[in-house]
Amino acid sequence: STWGMVLKLVLVLCPIVVFGYLRVIEPPELREAFPNGINYSLGAFGEVIFGRQIFGGLVKADPINGCDPILPLDYKVENHEWDILLIRDDPDCDTLVKVANAELAGADIVILIESEESIKTQDRLFYVQSNLSNNMKIPALRITKADGEILLNTQGFIRLEFQIQKIVSKRIDYQLWMLSSSDPSINFLQEFRDYHENFGKHVKFAPLFLTSFCYGCSLTGFTQINNPDCVSGGRYCAIDPDGPGPATGRDVILENLRQICLFEQDQKKWWAYISVYDSLPNCAPHMDQTCSFNLMTSVGVDVGTVSDCVKMSFGLKGDIGALSILPDNYLLKRNQEMAEQIGIDKTPTLVVNRIIYREGLNPVDNVLQFFCKILEDSPPICDNLYIRKQRPPYFWYLLAIGFLICLLFVASYISMRQKKRNSYTNEYYVIDDAETN
């Protein structure tokens, strides 16, 4: 579809600029070999530290390809708090296996040497198709084969300086990878809706739906029709949302499809639908077709158009039944391909300008603050956020209560001191009277 092509272009050409550098500090002769620094691309995974200037010693991995466990980095040089591990990214094993081994060895950053001369521009993101990407903690850089060979052939201690100063974007393109049966996904969308609307033209959003597949079904060519948690013969599956209850994984998949169709047809009505998603008793979070269509009708959606879209996504014209949902589904296939490209393996996952957001979706103000930080021209909602963060509504109440507690403490202390003083005075008079007598 046209929307699908646009989304793919957004993922590839999204307006993001990452300003940063990788420089050689010592030895001097190596610094002269890279007068303008070392060109690199940044992995769209791991916890990237923006704005911090990092100095570190470069360590060559042992083994250099990083496929087997790497010798621990017991080497720490004074005034160099970061260990930067250099690894050849030859196609011997999965790239993220190398990064995972580097992390286990104690590396703070990993530099991957390209197996081919494919990096043509500086500061571009690279993706790795692997289910391990969400588990990575350390950032990864990729440099050209030629530059990597120079580093490998340099003897002695190498000191590097690295910084990613800021992400600057004129617009935020973000996607939420979700399931229609996921309470955390729905809750985030309901709470974030007002923020989304306040950002206006500064943001572009798309809901994307993650599916799994039936491995056993793949062995028989995806021809099985008796799996209640799958469609398309097992190509796209979801976990049963209520165990022994009436809902199935197939119900979740079909609701995903209804939401995809609704969003493509009318984004405002999709947001309205999500806002009341849990309003019907005995429906959410595992929405069957009857519940879904009743709720869509309540917010003004033409359910016939949505139903036709779902059928057409299977290449069908009649009713959907067990046999009729055997064909492949182009909408689910598109989502699955995107998830594999970025490395999405769990929900909810927020992707902001092609980078997986890792700070958590709750509270939603964290996401709002992140958006405000990376926008080149932030809207008024960002100013209001910082005012609210500096002086929350209950701030003065807490301050007043604290002041009263301090007053009570001081008054109590003074009262106790006065009682002691009076006690000593009374004892003095008693003694004085006794001596006089």
Side-chain angles (χ1 to χ4, degrees):
S1 67
T2 303
W3 183 89
M5 293 298 295
V6 170
L7 180 57
K8 287 184 178 180
L9 286 173
V10 163
L11 289 171
V12 175
L13 302 176
C14 150
I16 181 174
V17 181
V18 179
F19 295 102
Y21 55 80
L22 177 64
R23 297 174 182 157
V24 176
I25 302 300
E26 57 178 302
E29 59 271 18
L30 185 60
R31 185 175 65 245
E32 292 174 2
F34 297 103
N36 298 317
I38 301 174
N39 290 347
Y40 68 90
S41 60
L42 176 68
F45 53 86
E47 297 179 358
V48 180
I49 302 171
F50 297 101
R52 181 172 178 181
Q53 189 177 30
I54 295 169
F55 294 93
L58 186 68
V59 184
K60 298 163 189 176
D62 184 8
I64 192 62
N65 68 358
C67 290
D68 296 319
I70 298 170
L71 288 179
L73 304 181
D74 53 1
Y75 131 115
K76 288 281 185 182
V77 179
E78 187 177 356
N79 297 327
H80 303 293
E81 57 178 319
W82 291 72
D83 283 334
I84 305 173
L85 197 63
L86 186 65
I87 297 177
R88 283 189 188 275
D89 196 16
D90 297 330
D92 304 332
C93 62
D94 190 289
T95 295
L96 287 181
V97 170
K98 302 170 188 281
V99 178
N101 285 336
E103 188 173 317
L104 290 173
D108 301 303
I109 302 174
V110 61
I111 296 179
L112 302 165
I113 303 173
E114 265 284 20
S115 57
E116 299 176 359
E117 294 296 346
S118 58
I119 297 181
K120 297 182 176 62
T121 58
Q122 184 176 353
D123 301 337
R124 299 292 300 275
L125 293 173
F126 71 88
Y127 293 95
V128 177
Q129 296 184 14
S130 172
N131 291 333
L132 294 171
S133 60
N134 272 342
N135 300 319
M136 293 297 104
K137 299 296 183 184
I138 63 174
L141 313 180
R142 181 175 277 170
I143 64 175
T144 64
K145 183 177 180 181
D147 290 347
E149 291 298 329
I150 294 175
L151 294 177
L152 283 174
N153 293 329
T154 300
Q155 302 299 316
F157 177 71
I158 300 175
R159 184 188 183 204
L160 299 177
E161 178 188 7
F162 169 61
Q163 184 179 43
I164 298 179
Q165 296 174 339
K166 188 179 180 183
I167 295 181
V168 179
S169 180
K170 294 183 178 179
R171 188 185 70 182
I172 292 176
D173 290 281
Y174 72 107
Q175 302 84 36
L176 181 68
W177 287 91
M178 57 181 289
L179 284 174
S180 58
S181 59
S182 166
D183 282 339
S185 300
I186 302 301
N187 291 341
F188 169 77
L189 291 168
Q190 290 174 340
E191 293 181 34
F192 200 71
R193 179 189 179 185
D194 289 343
Y195 292 154
H196 171 84
E197 292 177 349
N198 276 296
F199 274 109
K201 64 180 181 179
H202 294 279
V203 298
K204 182 178 177 63
F205 169 74
L208 299 173
F209 295 86
L210 187 65
T211 57
S212 56
F213 79 101
C214 169
Y215 177 74
C217 302
S218 67
L219 301 178
T220 59
F222 296 111
T223 57
Q224 297 184 22
I225 62 174
N226 58 353
N227 191 325
D229 296 324
C230 303
V231 299
S232 298
R235 291 179 178 87
Y236 314 105
C237 306
I239 296 174
D240 187 323
D242 61 354
T248 65
R250 181 175 296 171
D251 291 329
V252 175
I253 296 292
L254 293 177
E255 171 62 13
N256 292 349
L257 280 170
R258 287 190 290 268
Q259 290 199 31
I260 293 172
C261 289
L262 174 56
F263 187 84
E264 290 193 1
Q265 293 168 14
D266 194 322
Q267 295 185 20
K268 289 185 177 180
K269 288 183 178 178
W270 178 85
W271 278 106
Y273 176 70
I274 289 297
S275 296
V276 295
Y277 193 72
D278 50 5
S279 63
L280 291 182
N282 304 319
C283 284
H286 34 82
M287 193 80 69
D288 62 19
Q289 180 172 290
T290 301
C291 286
S292 178
F293 283 170
N294 286 340
L295 198 59
M296 286 185 183
T297 301
S298 72
V299 295
V301 174
D302 181 359
V303 296
T305 305
V306 173
S307 179
D308 289 342
C309 170
V310 172
K311 294 172 187 175
M312 290 178 62
S313 67
F314 288 101
L316 305 171
K317 295 182 179 179
D319 293 334
I320 291 180
L323 286 173
S324 62
I325 58 174
L326 194 58
D328 201 350
N329 184 287
Y330 79 90
L331 291 176
L332 297 175
K333 183 178 182 179
R334 182 184 69 196
N335 273 240
Q336 191 178 72
E337 289 174 348
M338 286 190 227
E340 291 174 353
Q341 179 190 23
I342 302 174
I344 304 297
D345 63 355
K346 63 181 179 181
T347 62
T349 295
L350 188 67
V351 177
V352 182
N353 284 359
R354 297 180 295 158
I355 296 178
I356 296 175
Y357 176 78
R358 300 182 182 280
E359 299 302 317
L361 303 183
N362 186 26
V364 295
D365 274 7
N366 290 345
V367 179
L368 173 62
Q369 193 171 32
F370 181 69
F371 280 22
C372 291
K373 284 180 179 179
I374 65 178
L375 275 173
E376 188 175 86
D377 299 311
S378 57
I381 187 176
C382 295
D383 299 330
N384 296 335
L385 169 73
Y386 298 125
I387 292 172
R388 185 167 68 253
K389 286 294 183 183
Q390 292 170 5
R391 291 290 185 269
Y394 49 81
F395 174 80
W396 298 110
Y397 294 107
L398 293 176
L399 185 63
I401 291 171
F403 183 70
L404 287 174
I405 290 173
C406 288
L407 282 179
L408 289 172
F409 177 79
V410 171
S412 175
Y413 178 76
I414 292 173
S415 175
M416 289 178 62
R417 291 291 299 269
Q418 187 63 41
K419 285 180 180 179
K420 280 189 174 183
R421 186 177 293 111
N422 292 339
S423 173
Y424 294 150
T425 302
N426 291 336
E427 290 179 1
Y428 170 79
Y429 285 130
V430 169
I431 294 171
D432 186 60
D433 290 342
E435 291 178 349
T436 303
N437 293 333

